[in-house]
Amino acid sequence: MSVSHSVSTPRVAAVIGLGSMGFGMALSLKRAGLEVLGADVSPEAVARFVSEGGRGFTNLPAEIGEAEIVVSVVVNAAQTETVLFGPEGIATKMRPGAVFISSATMDPAIARRLSARLEANGIHYLDAPISGGAARAAKGELTIMASGTHAAFAAARPALDAMAAKVYELGDAAGLGAAFKMINQLLAGVHIAAACEAITFAAKQGLDLEKVYEVITASAGNSWMFENRIPHVLAGDYTPLSAVDIFVKDLGIIQDMARSERYPVPLSAAALQVYLAASGAGMGRDDDSSLARLYAQLSGAQLPEKAE
């Protein structure tokens, strides 16, 4: 089946997955004037979205056919495939010519396969991983690394404009956006591990950690992840904004991709072991800055505790 190239001004969008990122993205779409359907398995997340004026569902809504744009912000490729083609999948319920914006981090080969399968149903597929965190999602200031056909970009444009400060158009084939995201995740995962290793090493030496943060963020050793994550450690607050298990998944994907290419990735492989250790120690659903807690447990270093 050929995909329709007709584009009209969208009135209704849907967001599948109302977690820390998806919730902000849904609110950004509402601010842009769209009616937004929001779906999540968590009744609390759905209730929160309804309180903001959205239409909420704890399952994949039959009303999905109303939406010209569907944004999927689930955890991984398996969940994305279930959303589309599972027993209650939306692929056969979406209107022809609508666009599915896939924001889950996944292997590029899987993105290509999902795209081909969905476009055979007359639906556009935009491979559009995201970066920026929950705060930027809520402000509509994400970075989106997107690839897909010209028609997919055209259909998705109102949502991209609402959700992102920067949209990188990386090519006309699904999988390119996913590949760029994996390069980002390699760096992000290694940088977080390095930041947590460094701040806990500083604690082991008895340094003033607030002063370490001040000095390093003004020095060459700084990174975006050090600047963003170490305040969690200083506050002793490991409420998950980005969980340890996300990098267990993402660095695992990188290992699989690298192995298939016979390409060595020793730094990300070492970082993966630290995330695995933290997850195995019961921190998998905690903030990824919890790697500092793991280093503290291994070394006897004392980190700040959360104020009561």
Side-chain angles (χ1 to χ4, degrees), residues 156-237:
R157 185 65 58 194
L160 298 177
D161 290 345
M163 298 185 299
K166 294 182 179 180
V167 178
Y168 289 99
E169 299 188 19
L170 301 171
D172 60 4
L176 291 169
F180 271 82
K181 179 60 183 292
M182 296 319 304
I183 301 303
N184 181 78
Q185 294 307 90
L186 186 159
L187 290 165
V190 170
H191 289 175
I192 292 168
C196 291
E197 182 176 303
I199 199 68
T200 313
F201 188 40
K204 184 67 175 176
Q205 296 177 76
L207 301 181
D208 179 336
L209 298 188
E210 296 280 356
K211 184 61 68 175
V212 170
Y213 181 76
E214 178 185 345
V215 170
I216 296 302
T217 55
S219 303
N222 191 33
S223 68
W224 192 93
M225 285 302 187
F226 186 95
E227 194 163 340
N228 182 266
R229 296 306 203 270
I230 297 309
H232 305 178
V233 179
L234 300 180
D237 186 355

Side-chain angles (χ1 to χ4, degrees), residues 62-89:
E63 293 86 346
I64 204 76
E66 299 175 22
E68 293 96 333
I69 299 170
V70 177
V71 185
S72 176
V73 203
V74 295
V75 172
N76 55 28
Q79 289 188 5
T80 304
E81 186 161 17
T82 298
V83 165
L84 286 171
F85 304 112
E88 303 298 324

Side-chain angles (χ1 to χ4, degrees), residues 31-286:
R31 283 197 304 272
L34 291 163
E35 181 179 357
V36 183
L37 317 179
D40 197 283
V41 295
S42 165
E44 293 79 12
V46 171
R48 182 183 175 207
F49 183 59
V50 170
S51 74
E52 296 285 348
R55 293 167 60 188
F57 305 84
T58 54
N59 54 8
L60 295 175
E63 293 86 346
I64 204 76
E66 299 175 22
E68 293 96 333
I69 299 170
V70 177
V71 185
S72 176
V73 203
V74 295
V75 172
N76 55 28
Q79 289 188 5
T80 304
E81 186 161 17
T82 298
V83 165
L84 286 171
F85 304 112
E88 303 298 324
I90 65 173
T92 58
K93 301 172 185 176
M94 289 178 65
R95 62 168 63 189
V99 61
F100 182 84
I101 302 175
S102 176
S103 294
T105 302
M106 67 180 71
D107 187 312
I110 298 177
R112 289 191 290 271
R113 175 170 57 80
L114 292 176
S115 173
R117 189 173 175 188
L118 188 62
E119 293 197 358
N121 285 350
I123 311 298
H124 302 297
Y125 183 103
L126 193 71
D127 177 19
I130 54 179
S131 182
R136 291 186 185 180
K139 295 176 183 178
E141 296 178 353
L142 289 171
T143 295
I144 298 182
M145 298 162 250
S147 64
T149 64
H150 174 76
F153 271 108
R157 185 65 58 194
L160 298 177
D161 290 345
M163 298 185 299
K166 294 182 179 180
V167 178
Y168 289 99
E169 299 188 19
L170 301 171
D172 60 4
L176 291 169
F180 271 82
K181 179 60 183 292
M182 296 319 304
I183 301 303
N184 181 78
Q185 294 307 90
L186 186 159
L187 290 165
V190 170
H191 289 175
I192 292 168
C196 291
E197 182 176 303
I199 199 68
T200 313
F201 188 40
K204 184 67 175 176
Q205 296 177 76
L207 301 181
D208 179 336
L209 298 188
E210 296 280 356
K211 184 61 68 175
V212 170
Y213 181 76
E214 178 185 345
V215 170
I216 296 302
T217 55
S219 303
N222 191 33
S223 68
W224 192 93
M225 285 302 187
F226 186 95
E227 194 163 340
N228 182 266
R229 296 306 203 270
I230 297 309
H232 305 178
V233 179
L234 300 180
D237 186 355
Y238 300 95
T239 302
L241 299 179
S242 175
V244 166
D245 279 345
I246 290 175
F247 279 100
V248 171
K249 169 182 68 73
D250 291 356
L251 292 179
I253 293 171
I254 288 163
Q255 301 308 303
D256 292 340
M257 292 170 63
R259 184 168 53 250
S260 70
E261 297 286 345
R262 300 297 188 265
Y263 182 82
V265 283
L267 296 182
S268 61
L272 174 58
Q273 296 308 308
V274 183
Y275 289 98
L276 284 168
S279 184
M283 305 176 198
R285 295 187 178 181
D286 295 339

